[in-house]
Amino acid sequence: AILERLLNPAHVVLTGFGEAGNATLRAGDETTATLFAILGPAKRLPDWRRCARSFGYVSARPGDSTVVVAVMGNTCLDNPDYVTGFQVCSSPAGLPKEYRPYLKHFVPSPGIHAGLATQSGLKLGLTRAEVEAVLGKPLWKRTNAYEYGALGDFQFTPEFLIARWHWPKGVESKLGGVDHMIDVWFVGDRVSAFYVSKLYDF
């Protein structure tokens, strides 16, 4: 029951992107081209992880301090053209400290705002009780954060293997896994930032 709850695809699909607020981005399944088409082109953020790439955006809406980091596929493990995760923060103070010196590299975008939410209802400003109503009780609880994660079976079709990793034509289906990770941070009793990711694994 816990796996079924945490592997709900609605937890890793974010809604509300774009100037009109009607665009959706799916962690694990969107490409760089789709990300750039909705939020604007961006340059890779300086990153301390050799195999990782990420792009930063900040709201261009007056009075809105929301920032978003799009984390791309790890070049050592996955196709780096795919967005595997999104971190949404109510302000730059909620960013991991490694990113804060590089705020000048974050691209202003009207497609970023405080109303971004997962399809399941996780968003900034929720109380702890409201987060638990969406995600259930956390698997790990820290003073100012909840952590969730689940790994389930996934059938890689030949079409998926060819499109994602450029496997040769004629490849057969492979059994693998899909990993959902969700972290939620609080200031007081309210969500100040959240991170959702979807990873595929063999």
Side-chain angles (χ1 to χ4, degrees):
I2 292 173
L3 284 174
E4 185 176 343
R5 168 170 53 84
L6 293 180
L7 290 172
N8 180 352
H11 295 327
V12 292
V13 177
L14 280 120
T15 63
F17 284 110
E19 194 164 359
N22 58 359
T24 297
L25 289 169
R26 300 165 299 157
D29 298 310
E30 300 293 2
T31 63
T32 310
T34 304
L35 178 75
F36 287 179
I38 293 172
L39 298 179
K43 292 185 178 179
R44 175 183 177 178
L45 294 175
D47 205 302
W48 62 101
R49 297 164 297 181
R50 181 176 60 85
C51 294
R53 290 190 311 147
S54 53
F55 302 105
Y57 295 91
V58 60
S59 178
R61 302 185 184 197
D64 193 324
S65 57
T66 307
V67 292
V68 171
V69 175
V71 179
M72 309 305 294
N74 186 314
T75 57
C76 298
L77 301 172
D78 198 356
N79 185 331
D81 288 332
Y82 284 85
V83 184
T84 58
F86 293 97
Q87 180 149 0
V88 180
C89 307
S90 59
S91 72
L95 285 169
K97 62 182 180 180
E98 293 85 357
Y99 287 120
R100 293 177 204 165
Y102 306 111
L103 271 171
K104 64 182 179 181
H105 296 285
F106 280 56
V107 175
S109 173
I112 298 295
H113 58 89
L116 297 175
T118 66
Q119 278 187 342
S120 59
L122 178 62
K123 60 184 177 180
L124 298 171
L126 293 185
T127 65
R128 293 171 191 259
E130 288 170 331
V131 170
E132 290 187 28
V134 173
L135 298 171
K137 292 192 177 297
L139 299 180
W140 301 276
K141 185 184 289 189
R142 293 184 277 125
T143 304
N144 295 316
Y146 286 175
E147 298 177 9
Y148 300 85
L151 177 64
D153 292 334
F154 186 84
Q155 190 71 35
F156 295 99
T157 66
E159 295 78 16
F160 187 91
L161 291 167
I162 292 168
R164 182 93 176 191
W165 292 292
H166 310 298
W167 284 42
K169 292 181 180 179
V171 65
E172 296 181 356
S173 294
K174 305 287 182 186
L175 181 63
V178 59
D179 186 2
H180 286 192
M181 291 181 289
I182 307 164
D183 295 331
V184 186
W185 292 269
F186 300 90
V187 171
D189 189 47
R190 299 283 179 175
V191 174
S192 60
F194 63 89
Y195 173 72
V196 298
S197 73
K198 177 182 178 182
L199 302 171
Y200 294 104
D201 194 12
F202 289 101

